[in-house]
Amino acid sequence: MLQRGLNWAAATLVGVFGFVWTGVVMFAAVETATWAWIGQLSFGLFLICWGSYKVSTLVRRPKPAFVPRHRRVRARA
């Protein structure tokens, strides 16, 4: 339960940080080179997309819990 909460916190913080990073680049860094601006913008968008992807994986159904099996039982191929 704690691990899932920490996963939610991490994904949310990365997404928000990407949004803030993009805002800072667009409004505060006005006298930078165009290639640097594009690179910073793409980094911010990458962070936003990664956070969104992780949130979408957390929304899905959780994996089933580990079911211990007897040592002698082999999985069928």
Side-chain angles (χ1 to χ4, degrees):
M1 186 78 168
L2 178 65
Q3 181 71 34
R4 190 157 173 85
L6 291 175
N7 287 343
W8 272 100
T12 304
L13 285 174
V14 168
V16 169
F17 181 74
F19 183 72
V20 170
W21 185 277
T22 304
V24 166
V25 168
M26 292 185 75
F27 295 110
V30 291
E31 296 186 12
T32 58
T34 304
W35 62 269
W37 190 81
I38 291 171
Q40 296 289 336
L41 185 65
S42 64
F43 179 68
L45 290 175
F46 169 75
L47 290 176
I48 292 170
C49 292
W50 185 87
S52 300
Y53 168 74
K54 286 298 180 179
V55 165
S56 71
T57 59
L58 289 171
V59 169
R60 294 183 198 151
R61 186 180 312 183
K63 295 179 182 176
F66 175 72
V67 178
R69 297 175 64 181
H70 195 273
R71 260 188 290 163
R72 294 184 205 162
V73 177
R74 295 182 182 162
R76 295 181 183 179

